[in-house]
Amino acid sequence: MPQYFPTVKKVQYEGPESKDPLAFRYYDADRVVGDKTMAEHLRFAVAYWHSFGGKGGDPFGPGTISFPWEKGRDAKTRARKKLDGAFEFMEKIGARFYCWHDYDLVEEGKTLAESEDRMQDAAKHAKELQKAKGIDLLWGTSNAFSNPRFMNGAATNPDFQVVAHAAAQVKTAIDTTVALGGHNYVFWGGREGYMSLLNTDLKREREHMAMFLTMARDYGRKNKFKGKFLIEPKPMEPTKHQYDYDSETVIGFLREFNLMDDFALNIEVNHATLAGHTFDHELQVAANAGVLGSIDANRGDYQNGWDTDQFPTDPTELLLAMRVILKNGGIGAGGINFDAKIRRNSTDREDLFYAHIGGMDAFARALINAHAMMEEGTLEDFVKQRYSSFDKGNGKKFEEGKLSLKQLANIGKKQGAFDLQSGRQEWAENVVSRWV
Ligand code: XUL
Ligand code: CO
């Protein structure tokens, strides 16, 4: 089989002192941190679309990156060669998971039937490669936003014909995910949102989205899909207002339409930033509701207000995120998917390796430090102590719902003057900086 990345061998762990740009300095897959190996904690996944399809085009110019598998003679051959290239990359970088949209796994055909046929062919090859290389599908999803037919949305499109077309696509994507033993199935909102309220029936569109997701859930469950359906919150882009705005919004939606048992959240760093939140805020909100499903790991540029999809490098941001994940007992059947792309001027074949090595090392380092920080427990002890007045006496009764407002007011009247309790934020920030 031809090598698509001939200049790179399997990337090895060499330790923090290594200066080899094609070695890991922190990610040591089999190193045990707490109760699991790094590979088990982090479950890294490679995003098929950016890594093997992203060509660097932007609104000001065409792509700068080309891929050898594009030269295959027909669509099925091209898809199979792309899989060969992808699995060679994933094996060399040591990622044990990957994620795709239907139409980056294959090129979209002229008809739904042609696309489905291509998906089935690609899935046969993907299955062989998964088995041979020990790599799993973290999640599949459907691209129901790029084709012009989805310009007004997919499940929330005002035209029923488009909704039905989207259903055919999603059904095939679920079938393919099941055929490949996918651990999860993702719905990112795509163009589910509006550009203007003037031409939009907001109530109906949200109800249509809930109906569509319920149907997808029922279909998946009838057809042996055991994993979670994941919704990926994002506040804006491409639409002015995306219905899956942020974690709180999506959780409210799932509760309203009785979808909490089967759905969880796929939290993306850059989407959190766009919503005006931190990454750890979005993770904590999902964790509190028991729906922290998976992660799309890509940062934004903090001077730009759009989704720049850069590889994660920020030690503080990742340390705080790993703290939430460890407190949650891990990420379960989810993983850390690099929904990130190399820059338009990163045109060497090695650049994709540098990018993933940087992201994997940044998370591994954050895992080591977050674990050590929590073993020391300074912040955890402080937070526990800060709320300790609710652990006993009337505070406990309040939490248990055993006080009326009148009783609570009487306690307030009787207690007299009391001391202020410092929140010690600067002290807490200094504790964190010891582990960055
Ligand atoms: C878009 C985005 C998508 C989803 C999958 O912002 O994050 O790539 O992750 O459709
Ligand atoms: Co994403």
Side-chain angles (χ1 to χ4, degrees), residues 125-136:
H125 194 44
K127 200 168 181 173
E128 291 160 6
L129 287 165
Q130 284 183 199
K131 203 163 164 236
K133 314 261 184 199
I135 293 172
D136 272 16

Side-chain angles (χ1 to χ4, degrees), residues 288-336:
N288 292 349
V291 289
L292 177 49
S294 200
I295 285 174
D296 267 10
N298 58 323
R299 68 182 165 92
D301 177 306
Y302 300 103
Q303 278 72 50
N304 290 158
W306 70 86
D307 198 1
T308 58
D309 283 338
Q310 287 173 253
F311 277 81
T313 53
D314 183 328
T316 309
E317 184 171 58
L318 300 183
L319 175 77
L320 298 180
M322 284 313 304
R323 176 172 177 245
V324 178
I325 292 165
L326 291 176
K327 267 199 291 179
N328 188 57
I331 192 87
I336 295 173

Side-chain angles (χ1 to χ4, degrees), residues 49 101 139 141 145 188 232 234 268 271 296 307 339:
W49 49 104
H101 298 83
W139 49 262
T141 188
F145 44 86
W188 165 59
E232 185 176 321
K234 186 174 186 182
E268 179 162 320
H271 297 177
D296 267 10
D307 198 1
D339 189 0

